[in-house]
Amino acid sequence: MHILVSNDDGYRAPGIQALACAMRRFGRVTVVAPDHNHSGASNSLTLNRPLTVEHMPGENLYVVSGTPSDCVHVALTGLLDEMPDLVVAGINCGANMGDDTMYSGTVAAAIEGYLFKVPSIAFSQIDKGWAELESAARIAETVVERYLEERDTTDPVLLNVNMPNLPYDVVKGIRSTRLGRRMSAEPVIEEMSPRGFPIYWLGAAGKPADAAEGTDFWATAHGYVSVTPLQIDLTAHREVERTGRWLAGDLSPKRD
Amino acid sequence: MHILVSNDDGYRAPGIQALACAMRRFGRVTVVAPDHNHSGASNSLTLNRPLTVEHMPGENLYVVSGTPSDCVHVALTGLLDEMPDLVVAGINCGANMGDDTMYSGTVAAAIEGYLFKVPSIAFSQIDKGWAELESAARIAETVVERYLEERDTTDPVLLNVNMPNLPYDVVKGIRSTRLGRRMSAEPVIEEMSPRGFPIYWLGAAGKPADAAEGTDFWATAHGYVSVTPLQIDLTAHREVERTGRWLAGDLSPKRD
């Protein structure tokens, strides 16, 4: 059993160290992680410059000058001498729920593994600050353990796990969920730089718009671990036919 | 009618200039675009530093020190004095089809508009080099024209348009498609830097794995414009119940 561990907070983050440590129980662990924090990196890939990779053999750690997706991509296309049995990403400092999932570098690292047909799981703690990180690592261990028991009967999975920052014994259980939805983001924050020119900070994420029972927002707010199975097909299949009706056809040269 | 134009190739790219020009026929155009090329940026957002914005009133152009998603995000959360009626992104230099759609900054700019409930369309030319850019701009104009004729009867759309680099009169028509799928990416390319340390370039995208009739790959390979309606819910809804069966439950303290 060989497990690839990555994240988006960078290789120094407490979260990835706790996750790598928890995964060692299951077999060989290789860590391939960014050299600095890439929160909000989404699935970005570095296409216009080369990456550098620093190997630290003692911890079987590779530090990459790129994004979370870059890390898993180079690991699976040549850096590792074999395909791993599992990719895990995290433990992220902060939630990756609802629409935010699309912006998450942690989830992107897992998506990258899944694109290479490797079962992949993203782990996030919903509150920042690393409170109850040991509990989160133990939850990650439990999720992986249950997946390993089940894996012969199920397709490669892509799971998005969000964990409340609660002691292990207080967590109520694990819920399989759908992603919730958020309201639109808060306004941009305009400030003046010390040099006298305006600067803009992106506003906060919007409040939950769909946080009903069944969503990731609901589960974590009620003391459960949220596990959302993900898929990566962005096609709106139900719209293809309708779009074809109003849009498709010849390109009539109206202006001629 | 107010149209927001963005891209991922940067504000200087011929593609965005051709697209902005084509859109002026429909009303007021504001361009908010990155200060340099962000190909492969996906939905990445800049969270850890502020953005700067340079306004060039003559062209109604805002140049942003951030990603494509940043550009549309700041435009819609404060930079513009009103919500636009339409967001268009591109014209991208190169295809955004199949699994690549997930990595595309052009598509991400459109997704950002859609998240704010604004109809949004991403435009890409499948071959690089800007050949037949005028034709592509005219196709974009036709797609927008047909959308405007239809918009009272349809929900806000999120469309991913890929255009063959062909003269307008040679293009066979428009097809509504689903995203194809690709094989896994090619191996990482390891080279030696002039300074004597190894560097790694991400390998090329994999060959199409699903390029059957009905896909974007098929349509563009056969001389059609491909229009794929997209959705942004990554939940694997059909897996939620099954995942719940094998994974959910109490956190049994097995190690106690």
Side-chain angles (χ1 to χ4, degrees), chain B residues 195-218:
Chain B
R195 307 274 168 278
F197 56 86
I199 56 174
Y200 301 84
W201 294 88
L202 296 191
K207 300 213 172 4
D210 172 13
E213 187 162 355
T215 66
D216 45 5
F217 291 127
W218 188 95

Side-chain angles (χ1 to χ4, degrees), chain A residues 15-253:
Chain A
I16 195 169
Q17 295 179 13
L19 184 58
C21 186
M23 292 301 109
R24 289 204 174 91
R25 196 190 123 193
F26 300 108
R28 183 153 79 103
V29 168
T30 304
V31 179
V32 183
D35 58 5
H36 69 272
N37 181 4
H38 280 269
S39 295
S42 188
N43 298 87
S44 57
L45 287 177
T46 302
L47 304 176
N48 297 329
R49 62 171 176 83
L51 304 169
T52 56
V53 179
E54 192 178 355
H55 186 202
M56 301 178 184
E59 307 145 87
N60 203 20
L61 164 67
Y62 296 83
V63 179
V64 177
S65 64
T67 66
S69 297
D70 287 338
C71 290
V72 175
H73 197 105
V74 297
L76 301 185
T77 59
L79 206 62
L80 303 190
D81 50 13
E82 59 178 8
M83 283 301 259
D85 302 289
L86 182 67
V87 172
V88 295
I91 297 170
N92 190 63
C93 178
N96 282 308
M97 301 192 289
D99 300 322
D100 302 344
T101 301
M102 184 171 305
Y103 300 111
S104 164
T106 309
V107 174
I111 287 176
E112 201 64 25
Y114 184 73
L115 276 170
F116 284 88
K117 300 180 177 44
V118 182
S120 299
I121 310 177
F123 293 99
S124 306
Q125 276 197 309
I126 62 166
D127 294 323
K128 299 195 175 189
W130 308 116
E132 301 296 344
L133 182 56
E134 201 181 324
S135 163
R138 205 166 149 198
I139 293 167
E141 200 181 313
T142 302
V143 169
V144 169
E145 191 171 66
R146 292 188 188 175
Y147 171 67
L148 294 179
E149 283 165 7
E150 196 65 22
R151 66 173 162 166
D152 291 339
T153 66
T154 191
D155 293 329
V157 293
L158 175 61
L159 301 178
N160 183 31
V161 180
N162 282 276
M163 304 176 279
N165 299 48
L166 293 172
Y168 189 86
D169 297 334
V170 174
V171 174
K172 284 196 193 150
I174 306 180
R175 288 279 179 115
S176 180
T177 59
R178 71 175 192 274
L179 299 178
R181 299 299 307 272
R182 282 197 186 278
M183 316 282 275
S184 297
E186 299 291 315
V188 67
I189 299 156
E190 183 175 352
E191 294 179 344
M192 197 56 76
S193 77
R195 305 277 168 274
F197 56 85
I199 56 174
Y200 300 85
W201 295 88
L202 296 191
K207 299 213 173 1
D210 172 11
E213 187 162 356
T215 65
D216 45 5
F217 290 126
W218 188 95
T220 54
H222 288 78
Y224 294 94
V225 174
S226 164
V227 178
T228 309
L230 300 184
Q231 59 82 33
I232 55 167
D233 181 0
L234 297 179
T235 308
H237 288 280
R238 281 180 297 193
E239 297 296 318
V240 172
E241 195 194 330
R242 192 158 67 114
T243 303
R245 280 202 300 275
W246 66 259
L247 185 53
D250 294 337
L251 287 172
S252 50

Side-chain angles (χ1 to χ4, degrees), chain B residues 6-101:
Chain B
S6 192
N7 78 342
D8 77 350
D9 293 320
Y11 77 100
R12 288 190 205 88
I16 195 168
Q17 295 178 12
L19 183 59
C21 186
M23 293 301 109
R24 288 206 176 90
R25 196 190 124 193
F26 300 107
R28 183 153 79 105
V29 168
T30 304
V31 180
V32 183
D35 57 6
H36 69 273
N37 181 3
H38 280 269
S39 295
S42 188
N43 297 88
S44 57
L45 287 177
T46 303
L47 304 176
N48 297 328
R49 61 171 176 83
L51 303 169
T52 56
V53 179
E54 193 177 355
H55 186 203
M56 299 178 186
E59 305 146 89
N60 205 17
L61 162 67
Y62 296 82
V63 179
V64 177
S65 64
T67 66
S69 297
D70 288 338
C71 289
V72 176
H73 197 104
V74 296
L76 302 185
T77 59
L79 206 62
L80 304 190
D81 50 13
E82 60 178 7
M83 283 303 258
D85 302 290
L86 181 66
V87 173
V88 295
I91 297 169
N92 190 62
C93 178
N96 283 307
M97 301 192 289
D99 301 322
D100 302 345
T101 302

Side-chain angles (χ1 to χ4, degrees), chain B residues 87-232:
Chain B
V87 173
V88 295
I91 297 169
N92 190 62
C93 178
N96 283 307
M97 301 192 289
D99 301 322
D100 302 345
T101 302
M102 187 171 304
Y103 300 112
S104 163
T106 308
V107 174
I111 288 176
E112 201 64 24
Y114 184 72
L115 276 170
F116 284 88
K117 300 178 176 49
V118 182
S120 298
I121 310 178
F123 293 99
S124 306
Q125 275 197 310
I126 62 166
D127 294 323
K128 299 195 177 190
W130 307 116
E132 301 296 345
L133 182 57
E134 200 181 326
S135 163
R138 203 164 149 200
I139 293 166
E141 200 181 312
T142 302
V143 169
V144 168
E145 190 172 66
R146 292 191 188 173
Y147 172 68
L148 294 178
E149 284 165 7
E150 195 66 21
R151 68 173 161 166
D152 291 338
T153 66
T154 190
D155 292 329
V157 294
L158 176 61
L159 301 178
N160 183 32
V161 180
N162 282 276
M163 303 177 280
N165 298 49
L166 294 173
Y168 188 87
D169 297 334
V170 174
V171 174
K172 285 197 194 148
I174 306 180
R175 288 278 179 118
S176 181
T177 60
R178 70 174 191 275
L179 298 177
R181 299 299 306 273
R182 281 198 187 277
M183 316 279 278
S184 298
E186 300 290 315
V188 67
I189 299 157
E190 184 175 350
E191 294 180 342
M192 196 59 74
S193 78
R195 307 274 168 278
F197 56 86
I199 56 174
Y200 301 84
W201 294 88
L202 296 191
K207 300 213 172 4
D210 172 13
E213 187 162 355
T215 66
D216 45 5
F217 291 127
W218 188 95
T220 53
H222 288 78
Y224 294 94
V225 174
S226 165
V227 178
T228 310
L230 300 183
Q231 59 82 33
I232 55 166

